[in-house]
Amino acid sequence: MDRRQITNYVNFAALIAYILGRVLHMNILVWIGLGIMTLSSIWTIIHWKENDKMSNYISVAFLVLVGLSFLGL
C-alpha cells in the first residue's frame, strides 16, 4: 500500500471519529479525531513535495477545522 493512501485513510478515520463525536456528544471521540487530524496534517505538510496536491489541500483544510474547533466554532 502506498504511503499516500495510508495518510488519506488516517485522515478519513479521523474525520469519522470527529463527526461521530460531535453527533453523539462524546468529547473523547472529538478530541481523538482532532488529535489524529492534527498529527497527520502536520506530517503531510512536512512532506509537502512528496504528496499530491489534493492530499496537501485536504491537510490544510483539516488544520483549519482543528483551529476552528479550538475556537469553539
Side-chain angles (χ1 to χ4, degrees):
M1 184 178 289
D2 191 18
R3 195 169 59 190
R4 290 176 299 199
Q5 288 179 342
I6 293 172
T7 305
N8 290 337
Y9 290 138
V10 168
N11 284 333
F12 187 63
L15 184 63
I16 289 174
Y18 175 77
I19 291 172
L20 282 175
R22 285 286 185 180
V23 170
L24 299 175
H25 302 290
M26 296 179 67
N27 288 335
I28 189 73
L29 278 179
V30 172
W31 286 108
I32 288 171
L34 288 175
I36 293 171
M37 274 190 241
T38 303
L39 293 176
S40 66
S41 295
I42 289 172
W43 186 85
T44 302
I45 290 174
I46 288 172
H47 301 288
W48 185 270
K49 293 186 179 190
E50 298 172 12
N51 301 321
D52 55 339
K53 284 184 180 180
M54 188 57 70
S55 293
N56 293 336
Y57 295 147
I58 289 171
S59 294
V60 170
F62 278 163
L63 283 177
V64 169
L65 177 67
V66 168
L68 290 175
S69 293
F70 282 135
L71 293 175
L73 300 175

